[in-house]
Amino acid sequence: MEALTALVVGLLVAASVYLMLARNFMRFLFGLILLSNAANLVIFASGRMTKGAPALVPYGADTPAGVVGNALPQALVLTAIVIGFGLLAFTLALAFETYRRLRTMDTDKMRVAEPKDADEDMK
Amino acid sequence: MNSIIFTAGARILVALLFVFSLFMLLRGHHLPGGGFIGGLLGAVAFIVYSLACGPAEAKSALRVSPEGIAIVGLGIALVAGLVSFLFGDPFFTGQWYWVGGDSYETSLFSLNTVLVFDIGVYLVVLGSILSLAYAFEEET
Amino acid sequence: MTSWLLVMPIAVPFATAVLAYLMRRAPSGRWISLTGSVLSLVASIALLIAVLNEGVIAAQMSNWDAPFGITLVADYLGVVMVVITAITGLATAVYALGEIPERIEHLGYHALFQTLIAGVTGAFLTGDLFNLYVWFEVMLISSFGLLVLGGTREQLDAGIKYVALNLVSTIIFLSGIGLLYGVTGTLNMADLREAVANAEDQTLITVIAMMFMVGFGVKAGVFPLFFWLPASYHTPTFAVSAVFAGLLTKVGVYAMMRMFTLVFVGDVGFTHEILIWVSLLTMLTGVLGAAAQTDFRKILSFHIISQIGYMTLGLALYTPLALMGGVFYLVHHIIVKANLFLVSGVANKLAGSTDLRRIGGLYKSSPFLAALFIVPAFSLAGFPPLSGFWAKYLIVKAAIELDAWFVAFIALFVGLLTIFSMTKIWGMAFWKPHPDGIDPVPERVPAKIRVPMMLPIIGLAIMTVVIGFFPEPFVQFAETAATQLLDPSDYVTTVLGAQR
C-alpha cells in the first residue's frame, strides 16, 4: 500500500511540475492544486498504512480496543486540506480578478508592476 | 437557473440541510461531527438557496455579511479559549459544567467551552466559505 | 500564569482584529487598532521581563503534555523577536493613522494588519512544527489580503507573483513536515532534536533538511529563491510594505535559525556549508540588483535580500560569535528597514512619486526628513556608531576568526556597495532639485496626516541611534540568545518538562 501511495505521489508531483512550467497562470494554479494534494498524501502515508479501526475510544473505556489507525496524521491532513483549500480558493479569486483587470493570464505579459523602461530594454 | 422543480424543492432542501448542519454541530464532541463539518453543510445550504433563487435573495436571507459572520466566529472561538483563565488553567483547556450530575453518564447535558469553540469554528467556516462563494458569483 | 504570558502577545492582536473589523466603518476602528498595538507591546514586554528573570519559559496549550499537545515556548531569540514585532506593529499602526485612506479602512485594513501581527508572533512563539505551518498560513493569508487591498493593477500583478511563489514554498515545507513525521513520529521541535539525532537513515534526514531550507529560503528571500520579493514589495501601501519588509522575511530567517540550530545539526559540515554560499550569493545579487533600480522602494526591496544574506551567514558560520551577530543583525535590520520604507512613504507624499528620476529637492525643503533618512540609511550600510556597524562588525569578526577571509571580504564589499545605493537615493531624492520645479515642503501635507507619519520614523530612528551608542546590553542579550541556540538543552528540558 505504501509503495502504491508513493507512486501516486510521484505521479502527482510530475504532473504538477509539468503544469507549473506553463506560462498560463491557470495551468500553474492547477499544478499547485495537484502539488498540494501530493503533500497531503505524503503526510497521510507518513503515519503508516495499517489495517485498523477508526481511532475512536468505545463508550466507558479509556483506550481504544484492538488495532486502530494513527489518528494524528489524519488530523494533520484535515488541517492541511482545509488551509490549502482556503488558500487555493483565494488564489483562484485573485487570478479571476487579475484576468478581469489585466485581460491576460499569460505570466510573461504580467509586467504592470515592473518599471517601464525595463520593459523597453527587453524589446 | 430557472427550473421550477428545483426552486420549489430548494426551499425544503435548504431547511433540511440547515437543520442537519446544526445537528452535526451539536453532536460533535462525543460523536462524529463538529463545527467544521456543520459549517460546511450550512454553507452548502446557502449556496443551494442562492442557486435556486439567485444570489441577491440569498444574501438578503443571510441578513449580515459573510465576512462579518466569520470574524464574529473567530471572536467566539477566542473567547472560548480565554474562559479557562478564570479557572486558572492554561489557554484553551476545556471547561465543563455538568447539569444534573457530575459526569457524562449521569448528567442530563453539559455546558462547556468546547461547544462554544465549536460554534466559533462553525461560524468561521460558514462565513468564509460563503464569502468565497459570493465572490465568484458576483463576478460571473 | 506562564501560560498566559505566552498567550497574550498572540491573543491580543486577534481580539483587536475582531473588534477592528466590526468597527471598520466607524472612525473608532483605527483607534481600536492602535490601542491593540499598544496592548500587544505591553504583553510582549511582560513576556520579555519573565524570560529575563526565569530563562526559557514554556507552556502547554489545553493542558496536553508535550510532545503531544501544542507547546508555546519563549527563549531569548523568540522573545526578542516578539518584542520587536510589537514595536514594528505599533510604529506602522501609528503611521497608518496618517497614510491609510478611509476607503481602504472600510475594506478591513486594520483587521488584516492585526491578524498578520498575530501570525508573525505565533510563528516566533510556537514550539511545534505543524503549528509553525499554521502560523505561516495565518501570516500568508493576511499578507495576501493586505498586498492586494485597494486592488490597483500593479497590486494584482504583484499579488499573483507573491501568492504563487509563497504557496509553492509552503507546500514544500508541508511535505518536509510529513516526511519528518514519517521518520521520527513526532513534531514537537524539542522532541525532534533527539529523535532526529537517533534516526537510522541520516541521509534522508539531510534530504528533509534541504526541503526545509528551500521552504524557509523562499520565505526569507535568499538566492536563488527571492524573485517574488522585489516584484511585490513596492506595490502596496507604505505602511504595509514597511511591515512586510521588517517582519515577513525575518520569520523565514528565524525559522531557519531555529531548525538549523535545534533540529538539523547532524551534518553541519554539509548543510551549513551550502548556507554559506547561498548567503554570499544572496548578499551579492541583492546589492547588485539594487544598483540597477531607480525606484525608491525597489532599491530598498533588493537591499532586504542583500541584508538577509548577512543574517543567514551568521547562522551558516555556526560559531557563538557568528550566531550572536546574526541575532543582533535580525533585530537591527527590522527597525532600520521598516523605517526606510516609512521614509519612502513620506517622500512619496511630499514629492509625489517614488520614482527617483521624478522627485528631488527634499533636502532643501525638508532637512529634518533628510536627517531622519540618513540615520537608517547609514545604519544599513554599517557606518559607526549606528546599530548596523555593530551587526556587521560581529559577523565579519566571526568570519575572520574562522580564517574565512573570502567571506569577510564579500561582507565588507557588499557593505561598500550598499553605501553606493544609499548615496544614489540621497543624491536623487534629496540633493538634486525637483525635476518639475515643485518645492516639496512638508506644509504641503496637512498636519493631521504629517504628524502620525513622522512620529514612528522619529521613534525608530532614535532606537537605531540608541542601539548604536549603547550596544552593550543588546550585544549581551544577543550573546545569551546565541548560547541558548548552540546549546538548547535548557530549551529541550523546559519544553518537555513544562507543566502548566
Side-chain angles (χ1 to χ4, degrees):
Chain A
M1 198 55 194
E2 268 99 349
L4 187 64
T5 321
L7 266 176
V8 172
V9 169
L11 269 175
L12 280 175
V13 172
S16 79
V17 168
Y18 172 73
L19 282 170
M20 278 160 62
L21 290 175
R23 243 182 291 172
N24 188 315
F25 187 75
M26 280 320 280
R27 279 181 163 240
F28 180 90
L29 189 56
F30 289 140
L32 214 53
I33 294 171
L34 288 188
L35 193 62
S36 105
N37 283 328
N40 292 339
L41 263 183
V42 167
I43 298 179
F44 186 62
S46 70
R48 304 295 184 274
M49 305 253 176
T50 43
K51 276 190 183 163
L56 293 175
V57 183
Y59 208 62
D62 283 337
T63 47
V67 181
V68 293
N70 187 351
L72 184 69
Q74 296 175 18
L76 299 184
V77 167
L78 181 63
T79 316
I81 288 175
V82 171
I83 294 177
F85 166 76
L87 285 175
L88 291 169
F90 176 87
T91 315
L92 186 60
L94 179 68
F96 199 95
E97 182 67 15
T98 310
Y99 178 71
R100 238 167 40 102
R101 299 288 298 280
L102 305 185
R103 283 279 145 220
T104 177
M105 274 279 122
D106 187 340
T107 38
D108 275 1
K109 291 192 180 126
M110 290 185 189
R111 298 191 56 83
V112 185
E114 297 302 307
K116 291 294 167 291
D117 55 351
D119 263 338
E120 282 156 21
D121 288 347
M122 284 180 69
K123 274 169 197 164
Chain B
M1 208 180 293
N2 22 354
S3 144
I4 294 176
I5 299 173
F6 183 51
T7 317
R11 291 180 179 274
I12 304 165
L13 199 62
V14 167
L16 277 177
L17 274 170
F18 211 75
V19 171
F20 187 56
S21 87
L22 290 177
F23 170 68
M24 276 308 215
L25 165 68
L26 291 175
R27 82 199 283 259
H29 191 69
H30 293 286
L31 294 161
F36 180 77
I37 195 76
L40 277 181
L41 282 165
V44 168
F46 271 99
I47 290 168
V48 166
Y49 191 67
S50 74
L51 283 176
C53 309
E57 196 173 327
K59 263 189 197 163
S60 68
L62 193 62
R63 285 164 199 274
V64 279
S65 79
E67 293 91 352
I69 294 180
I71 206 95
V72 167
L74 186 68
I76 291 176
L78 190 66
V79 167
L82 293 174
V83 166
S84 54
F85 178 68
L86 300 177
F87 298 89
D89 284 329
F91 192 53
F92 267 131
T93 311
Q95 304 296 332
W96 296 78
Y97 177 71
W98 305 101
V99 179
D102 53 6
S103 69
Y104 179 62
E105 286 81 11
T106 55
S107 63
L108 293 170
F109 63 95
S110 67
L111 296 173
N112 58 65
T113 55
V114 180
L115 181 65
V116 178
F117 180 75
D118 245 7
I119 293 173
V121 172
Y122 179 93
L123 293 177
V124 170
V125 173
L126 179 70
S128 37
I129 301 274
L130 279 182
S131 59
L132 278 169
Y134 287 156
F136 287 115
E137 245 163 11
E138 272 161 24
E139 282 157 5
T140 42
Chain C
M1 264 328 277
T2 12
S3 161
W4 294 94
L5 279 175
L6 282 159
V7 166
M8 280 338 256
I10 305 172
V12 168
F14 261 130
T16 315
V18 173
L19 291 178
Y21 186 84
L22 295 177
M23 304 298 283
R24 69 190 188 283
R25 288 184 191 284
S28 55
R30 66 190 74 149
W31 299 108
I32 289 175
S33 176
L34 188 64
T35 319
S37 294
V38 173
L39 289 177
S40 302
L41 185 58
V42 172
S44 45
I45 287 175
L47 183 63
L48 175 69
I49 293 168
V51 171
L52 286 177
N53 286 336
E54 297 170 34
V56 184
I57 57 175
Q60 314 299 345
M61 294 302 96
S62 314
N63 241 344
W64 289 97
D65 285 345
F68 305 107
I70 291 168
T71 312
L72 292 189
V73 49
D75 63 348
Y76 270 55
L77 174 63
V79 80
V80 75
M81 297 307 289
V82 170
V83 172
I84 209 77
T85 303
I87 290 174
T88 318
L90 180 60
T92 33
V94 174
Y95 194 83
L97 293 180
E99 195 215 344
I100 304 297
E102 263 183 31
R103 182 177 63 85
I104 289 181
E105 279 186 338
H106 288 178
L107 293 170
Y109 167 83
H110 295 298
L112 281 171
F113 173 74
Q114 294 290 347
T115 319
L116 180 72
I117 298 289
V120 172
T121 314
F124 290 143
L125 283 179
T126 186
D128 181 278
L129 206 48
F130 197 81
N131 198 230
L132 181 66
Y133 161 76
V134 174
W135 288 123
F136 266 45
E137 300 297 320
V138 170
M139 207 169 84
L140 215 54
I141 195 89
S142 46
S143 67
F144 292 169
L146 283 174
L147 187 63
V148 298
L149 208 62
T152 65
R153 280 160 54 89
E154 285 82 10
Q155 279 179 312
L156 288 169
D157 182 35
I160 287 278
K161 291 159 191 165
Y162 178 86
V163 168
L165 283 168
N166 273 292
L167 281 182
V168 173
S169 101
T170 304
I171 294 173
I172 294 173
F173 175 35
L174 186 62
S175 313
I177 291 178
L179 291 173
L180 197 57
Y181 178 76
V183 176
T184 62
T186 179
L187 286 173
N188 183 295
M189 291 199 242
D191 202 25
L192 271 174
R193 180 178 172 83
E194 203 156 308
V196 163
N198 295 336
E200 275 172 33
D201 194 349
Q202 286 297 324
T203 324
L204 185 57
I205 293 287
T206 309
V207 172
I208 297 171
M210 295 326 286
M211 288 179 82
F212 276 91
M213 196 183 277
V214 172
F216 294 148
V218 176
K219 304 264 182 228
V222 297
F223 179 87
L225 310 162
F226 60 80
F227 299 105
W228 57 274
L229 196 153
S232 59
Y233 273 23
H234 62 291
T235 56
T237 51
F238 290 85
V240 169
S241 62
V243 84
F244 279 17
L247 295 176
L248 287 194
T249 48
K250 309 309 176 299
V251 182
V253 178
Y254 164 84
M256 225 187 247
M257 270 192 185
R258 181 64 79 205
M259 290 307 284
F260 285 87
T261 58
L262 183 64
V263 180
F264 298 121
V265 287
D267 196 1
V268 176
F270 177 73
T271 48
H272 290 56
E273 173 82 31
I274 292 180
L275 210 50
I276 289 183
W277 290 103
V278 165
S279 308
L280 293 181
L281 285 166
T282 310
M283 286 154 72
L284 276 174
T285 42
V287 86
L288 292 176
Q293 300 299 326
T294 50
D295 184 276
F296 204 141
R297 281 202 278 182
K298 267 209 121 112
I299 293 178
L300 294 179
S301 303
F302 272 105
H303 274 294
I304 298 175
I305 297 162
S306 124
Q307 307 285 316
I308 290 289
Y310 283 96
M311 293 165 221
T312 49
L313 185 63
L315 169 65
L317 293 173
Y318 205 61
T319 62
L321 190 65
L323 266 173
M324 179 175 145
V327 173
F328 192 93
Y329 215 110
L330 208 54
V331 174
H332 133 81
H333 184 251
I334 292 177
I335 300 172
V336 163
K337 186 57 83 179
N339 202 5
L340 281 171
F341 271 86
L342 295 180
V343 170
S344 76
V346 176
N348 178 49
K349 270 270 188 307
L350 294 180
S353 174
T354 55
D355 190 339
L356 291 175
R357 288 163 301 184
R358 288 170 50 204
I359 61 173
L362 283 165
Y363 173 68
K364 203 176 151 208
S365 54
S366 179
F368 185 50
L369 180 69
L372 287 176
F373 170 74
I374 286 282
V375 171
F378 276 39
S379 178
L380 191 75
F383 267 55
L386 295 160
S387 60
F389 169 71
W390 303 107
K392 280 206 173 64
Y393 171 76
L394 290 172
I395 295 211
V396 172
K397 186 156 176 260
I400 292 175
E401 274 183 9
L402 287 172
D403 285 333
W405 294 99
F406 181 67
V407 174
F409 168 73
I410 297 281
L412 290 172
F413 179 64
V414 170
L416 204 66
L417 289 176
T418 311
I419 302 173
F420 165 72
S421 276
M422 288 302 128
T423 44
K424 182 162 92 180
I425 298 181
W426 172 257
M428 291 177 85
F430 290 88
W431 201 248
K432 80 167 192 295
H434 198 291
D436 303 339
I438 301 171
D439 186 21
V441 284
E443 282 69 32
R444 289 181 63 212
V445 178
K448 210 179 135 213
I449 292 174
R450 198 175 67 223
V451 172
M453 283 174 86
M454 290 303 277
L455 276 179
I457 297 178
I458 298 171
L460 293 176
I462 290 174
M463 285 181 67
T464 313
V465 174
V466 167
I467 297 178
F469 277 101
F470 308 102
E472 241 350 83
F474 300 96
V475 170
Q476 270 170 15
F477 191 95
E479 197 179 355
T480 322
T483 322
Q484 282 181 349
L485 285 176
L486 281 173
D487 175 25
S489 53
D490 262 5
Y491 183 97
V492 173
T493 48
T494 316
V495 169
L496 294 180
Q499 302 293 331
R500 310 223 152 190

